[in-house]
Structure formats: structure tokens, C-alpha cells
Amino acid sequence: MPKNPFQSLYLQVLVAIVIGALLGHFYPQTATAMKPLGDGFVKLIKMLITPIIFCTVVIGIAGMESMKKVGKTGGLAILYFEVVSTFALIIGLIIVNLLKPGVGMNVDPNTLDTQAIAHYTSANQMQSGTEFILNIIPSSIVDAFAKGDMLQVLFFALLFGYSLQVSGKRGKPIFDLIEQFSKVFFGIVNVIMKVAPIGAFGAMAFTIGQYGLSSLNQMIQLMGAFYLTCLVFIFAVLGSIAAIHGFSIWKFIKYIKEELFLVLGTSSSESALPRLMEKLENLGAEKTVVGLVVPTGYSFNLDGTAIYMTMAAIFIAQATNTPFDLAQQVALLAILMLTSKGAAGVTGSGFIVLAATLSAVGTLPVAGIVLILGIDRFMSEARALTNFVGNGVATVVVAKWCHALDSKKMKKVLSN
């Protein structure tokens, strides 16, 4: 930590969040006008996400000794994502059934005003499985980068990295060039991070100013249950996984605290993604593994989103008194194991995927998502934080499985 505490980014962001929340509570009209500050910062980071993902994935694949190692790393990562995401879904299901936050609301779904959710439930935005897979293939390379579609960029980067890897020495100049581009992009990120407190202030001020604190009373139980579930998942599930693999989840969280405060302030895990990759490399994970696992996890390892969608679906069933037995809940889990993987690749993220899931289940009223529309913004922080920590832990674990982790360096870094 710097000698002057106020030079520390995480303290600056924390102070900015507190000031933003106070402004939103006491001067809501002024606070809502701060929205462009938060939006502007997130846009600054987003403009670099696709080139950084492209460079890191290409370097990760092309830098490996063989495609066999690429396949092994990718396969182990996907296996980890599936197992841990399933745990997230099950924990969300158990806690929402135990706490029953929606019981007693007695909402008639026929009386709900669905105008507010029309944007999320319109048919042209809800993708079938086939459409989702086809959408991963970009109509052109330029289009993928122009739209910032993460899955399309990831798909092209995988092909590019593979081609570069098999080209051997002929591809070395291109590999070196992409590596230099990557360093430049990360340098730009470091410049942008200097205004992170301003972005966090604007985003938090708008959230509190727009939605207020008093409006949360009716939904406070769902929010409390969701935050509790995220904490249980992080410290019980991820904590156990971390302990088995030789590190402390608490020390790991302290190590990435600056990035976590940034995610908290902006409600976006994107805002800290480049810095997470840098820190994981500094922790002792090989660059090739970080470059492959983190971007893939961003699209397929969304633990917080999985918990959110499970709890939201059961909450709607409870609030509308819709019968939903154990067999139907297990069926819901099976559907969510597939649909939750598409949350990062759909415009409108979890909300559209939740609407698609409710439609697929058939027995739950899609109109019920109106009930959580007002507090969705307040739950997005926990969602983003859980996704972020989950991907960090996943990368360390997969690196250890692939013998691509310097355990001594990791222990030294985390201890300091």
C-alpha cells in the first residue's frame, strides 16, 4: 500500500462509492444527473475489452507448446465451470426454498403491468439453442469487433490462435506483434483506471438517486437472501476449493480488493477484467493459461448469474402462488445449466435469459419478472462480484491442474 493511503486506488474507489450513495440518498435529482460519469467510465473499459480478449486468447493458445496442451487446459476449464456452476445453481435453489422470500406476496400475474419488461421479453431477442450457437459465428471479423460481441471475438481468437500455433516459426513475428499490442492495451487500461473513482461515484450516485432506499422494503427479503447465498457460495464453496488447492479465499479476496471495489462501484465485472488478468499472472499463473481461462470464464463461468436466475425464478413462483414441485425445480436446474451460459452473450444479459428460461419451463409466468425489475440493479453488484471472484479462483485452480502455477510465488504474494 502507498505511504499516503489516499493514493491507493481501492480506498479512492471506496470513498467515491460512499459519497455517491450519500448524494443519491439526500439529493436524488442531482445524483441521477451523475449517470454519464459511470456510463462513460464503463464505455472506456469496454472499448478495450474485445482487443484485450483477442490478444490474450491468441497469446494463450499460440504460446502453448502444443495443441494437446491447449485442449487439456480448455477441457479442464470447461469441466470446472460446469461442476462449480451446478453447485451455484443448487445452493441458490436450497436457500430460496428455505427462506421463501416470495411467500405471502400473493401477486396475481394477470394484474402485472408488463410494459416495463417488453424490451426484455420481445421474441426477437430470445434465442433458441440453435440460434445461440449460430450467433457465435460472426458475419464478418470486423462486425464481431465493432459490436463488441464477446463470444464472437472469442470464437475468432480461438481459430486465429490455433492457426498461429500450428504455423510454428513462420508465425513468430505475428505472435510478437500481438504480444506488443497486448502490452499497449494494458497500458491504456492503467491510464483509464486513474479515473475509476469518478466512474464509481457516478454509477453509485445514479443507482441510489434513481431507485432510492425506501423503495426496497417490499423486496428486501429477496435481496437479503441473494446476498447471503452469494456469500455462502464464495466462502463455503469457493473457499473449500481454494483450501484444497493450497490458498486462502480470504487472502485471495484481499489481493484483488481494488478490482472488487471497482466492480462494486460500477456493477460491471468488465471494468476490472483486464486488471484481474494482470494480477493472476503476477500471482504465479502462466500467461498462456490466464489468457485462455479468464476470457472463456467470462462467458461460461457466471456463478453469480446462475444463483440469481435460480432464486429469481423460484421467487416468482412463490410470489404468484404458482405450484412448483421438486421435479419441476430439478427440470429448471437442467434448463438453467444451459441458458445461464448464454447470459454474457445476449443483449440485456441475465434479464433476457431469465425471461427465456421462464418461457422454456412453461409453468412459471414470464410477466413475474416485473416483480424484480426494480431491484435488479441492486442485485447486480453481488452478481458481478460473485462472477469476478469465481473466475479468479477458476483460473488459479485450472493453472494448478495444468502444472502452470508457481505455488511458492502465489503463497508469497498472497502473504504480502
Side-chain angles (χ1 to χ4, degrees):
M1 183 180 287
K3 290 183 179 179
N4 181 355
F6 287 97
Q7 291 178 357
S8 170
L9 179 64
Y10 86 90
L11 185 60
Q12 292 174 2
V13 172
L14 179 60
V15 170
I17 289 171
V18 172
I19 294 173
L22 290 173
L23 181 68
H25 181 62
F26 292 107
Y27 302 98
Q29 284 189 315
T30 304
T32 52
M34 300 295 110
K35 188 174 186 289
L37 297 178
D39 291 348
F41 175 74
V42 172
K43 286 187 72 175
L44 283 171
I45 293 292
K46 277 190 173 183
M47 76 176 180
L48 292 169
I49 289 292
T50 48
I52 284 176
I53 292 298
F54 172 76
C55 290
T56 52
V57 171
V58 168
I59 292 169
I61 294 175
M64 287 191 176
E65 298 169 2
S66 65
M67 287 310 298
K68 184 178 178 181
K69 189 174 180 182
V70 174
K72 179 184 176 183
T73 303
L76 289 173
I78 296 298
L79 174 64
Y80 176 93
F81 296 160
E82 284 299 327
V83 172
V84 177
S85 294
T86 302
F87 270 110
L89 290 168
I90 293 171
I91 288 174
L93 191 67
I94 291 171
I95 293 182
V96 77
N97 274 290
L98 286 175
L99 299 182
K100 303 185 187 315
V103 172
M105 290 186 71
N106 302 319
V107 175
D108 181 355
N110 296 319
T111 64
L112 295 173
D113 180 10
T114 58
Q115 186 175 357
I117 61 166
H119 171 69
Y120 302 103
T121 56
S122 56
N124 63 340
Q125 288 179 311
M126 291 170 56
Q127 298 176 316
S128 66
T130 304
E131 288 172 335
F132 173 71
I133 293 171
L134 288 175
N135 190 53
I136 293 175
I137 305 171
S139 56
S140 72
I141 298 167
V142 175
D143 184 57
F145 281 89
K147 292 192 302 184
D149 191 309
M150 194 66 65
L151 291 177
Q152 292 184 357
V153 172
L154 186 60
F155 176 74
F156 174 65
L158 288 170
L159 294 176
F160 194 99
Y162 167 76
S163 179
L164 198 59
Q165 204 277 336
V166 297
S167 64
K169 291 182 179 179
R170 290 176 299 168
K172 189 68 167 60
I174 299 175
F175 178 86
D176 292 338
L177 181 64
I178 292 175
E179 198 166 32
Q180 292 304 313
F181 268 120
S182 177
K183 290 178 181 178
V184 172
F185 288 134
F186 276 110
I188 298 172
V189 169
N190 290 332
V191 173
I192 294 173
M193 291 305 293
K194 295 183 185 300
V195 297
I198 298 174
F201 161 77
M204 186 57 69
F206 168 75
T207 300
I208 302 299
Q210 177 75 16
Y211 301 106
L213 295 174
S214 58
S215 62
L216 302 179
N217 293 337
Q218 195 175 18
M219 303 295 179
I220 201 73
Q221 282 188 320
L222 175 61
M223 283 183 58
F226 178 62
Y227 273 75
L228 173 65
T229 307
C230 289
L231 289 172
V232 169
F233 176 78
I234 289 172
F235 289 103
V237 177
L238 296 183
S240 298
I241 292 171
I244 292 169
H245 291 85
F247 66 102
S248 162
I249 189 67
W250 181 248
K251 287 183 178 179
F252 181 75
I253 288 172
K254 285 176 69 178
Y255 175 63
I256 59 170
K257 60 182 179 294
E258 289 185 0
E259 290 70 33
L260 290 175
F261 277 120
L262 185 60
V263 172
L264 176 66
T266 60
S267 298
S268 170
S269 55
E270 285 180 336
S271 58
L273 194 64
R275 290 199 27 128
L276 175 66
M277 288 190 276
E278 281 186 303
K279 283 208 164 180
L280 289 170
E281 287 179 40
N282 182 61
L283 194 62
E286 286 186 10
K287 187 172 186 176
T288 52
V289 175
V290 173
L292 188 59
V293 178
V294 173
T296 308
Y298 179 80
S299 295
F300 295 101
N301 187 39
L302 305 169
D303 301 323
T305 305
I307 292 170
Y308 164 79
M309 288 199 286
T310 308
M311 299 189 76
I314 303 299
F315 172 81
I316 290 168
Q318 293 171 352
T320 57
N321 297 319
T322 303
F324 206 58
D325 59 28
L326 182 60
Q328 290 172 313
Q329 292 186 25
V330 172
L332 171 69
L333 279 184
I335 294 170
L336 282 170
M337 285 176 67
L338 297 174
T339 58
S340 63
K341 299 295 182 289
V346 181
T347 306
S349 191
F351 232 71
I352 294 170
V353 177
L354 177 60
T357 304
L358 295 183
S359 297
V361 171
T363 54
L364 295 177
V366 179
I369 64 174
V370 170
L371 298 173
I372 57 173
L373 182 63
I375 59 167
D376 177 72
R377 186 65 176 75
F378 288 95
M379 293 194 289
S380 63
E381 285 91 352
R383 206 160 57 215
L385 287 169
T386 306
N387 290 341
F388 192 77
V389 175
N391 280 322
V393 172
T395 306
V396 176
V397 170
V398 173
K400 184 150 189 173
W401 287 353
C402 295
H403 307 290
L405 177 69
D406 187 338
S407 296
K408 289 183 179 178
K409 183 179 180 181
M410 177 181 69
K411 288 179 180 178
K412 184 179 179 181
V413 171
L414 292 182
S415 295
N416 293 331

